[in-house]
């Protein structure tokens, strides 16, 4: 297995003009008590949408298969959460000069990473005009 850990973060930023105010971004998001997301105000406004570690599955009979299955579950849940968000929110943010994306960051233990993104997540990102970026170590 190549991935040590992987996270997905909803980010909104712009190069000039400052960070989004809570009323522009974080306050408009729909977050229910059963959602596995976390709003963050610092250092930059963002939402931690998903996190998974390989160590969660070391005791499983097939750790790689368990990891892949759980990753798909968590990404599908993330898609469900994204679909609950106001359709006008991200369009309004971009109109105000902000960039919007779902950023995947991870640590891998070799020179290759396989990442399958479920269609539901791709559709949700497309619905809101979110870029998908992936950054790992070398």
């Amino acid at each position: 297995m190549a991935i040590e850990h992987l996270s997905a973060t909803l980010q909104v930023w712009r190069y000039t003009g400052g960070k989004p105010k809570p009323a522009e971004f974080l306050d408009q998001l729909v977050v229910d008590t059963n959602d596995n997301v976390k709003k963050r105000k610092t250092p930059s406004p963002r939402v931690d949408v998903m996190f998974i570690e390989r160590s969660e599955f070391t005791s499983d009979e097939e750790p790689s298969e368990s990891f892949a299955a759980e990753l798909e579950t968590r990404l599908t849940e993330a898609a469900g959460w994204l679909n609950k968000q106001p359709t006008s929110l991200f369009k309004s943010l971009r109109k105000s000069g902000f960039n919007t994306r779902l950023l995947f960051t991870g640590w891998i233990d070799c020179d290759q990473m396989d990442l399958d993104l479920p269609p539901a997540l791709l559709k949700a990102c497309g619905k809101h005009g979110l870029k998908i970026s992936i950054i790992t170590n070398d």
Side-chain angles (χ1 to χ4, degrees), residues 1-136:
M1 184 182 310
I3 300 173
E4 292 289 331
H5 61 81
L6 185 70
S7 64
T9 305
L10 176 60
Q11 296 183 326
V12 174
W13 83 100
R14 59 183 165 199
Y15 295 107
T16 59
K19 301 173 186 176
K21 295 179 175 123
E24 291 177 292
F25 175 44
L26 292 178
D27 292 350
Q28 292 191 47
L29 295 170
V30 177
V31 179
D32 299 324
T33 55
N34 59 340
D35 290 326
N36 293 319
V37 302
K38 179 77 173 164
K39 292 182 187 179
R40 304 282 186 184
K41 293 181 182 178
T42 58
S44 298
R46 67 189 189 285
V47 180
D48 294 340
V49 176
M50 189 274 320
F51 182 79
I52 191 168
E53 289 184 284
R54 176 166 66 175
S55 63
E56 297 174 46
F57 306 94
T58 54
S59 63
D60 290 4
E61 187 174 322
E62 295 291 339
S64 295
E65 290 177 19
S66 296
F67 179 93
E70 182 61 21
L71 177 59
E72 182 169 356
T73 297
R74 292 183 193 185
L75 291 174
T76 301
E77 288 173 356
W81 178 77
L82 283 170
N83 280 322
K84 291 192 308 188
Q85 304 316 306
T87 55
S88 60
L89 172 59
F90 300 103
K91 187 175 184 179
S92 173
L93 286 164
R94 285 189 297 278
K95 189 174 181 180
S96 296
F98 290 100
N99 297 289
T100 60
R101 74 174 172 187
L102 187 63
L103 173 65
F104 287 90
T105 56
W107 190 263
I108 58 176
D109 63 4
C110 61
D111 62 354
Q112 178 179 326
M113 177 181 76
D114 296 338
L115 178 62
D116 294 322
L117 300 176
L121 181 66
L122 297 172
K123 185 176 180 181
C125 288
K127 170 184 170 182
H128 293 305
L130 299 174
K131 280 186 190 175
I132 298 174
S133 300
I134 302 170
I135 302 172
T136 64

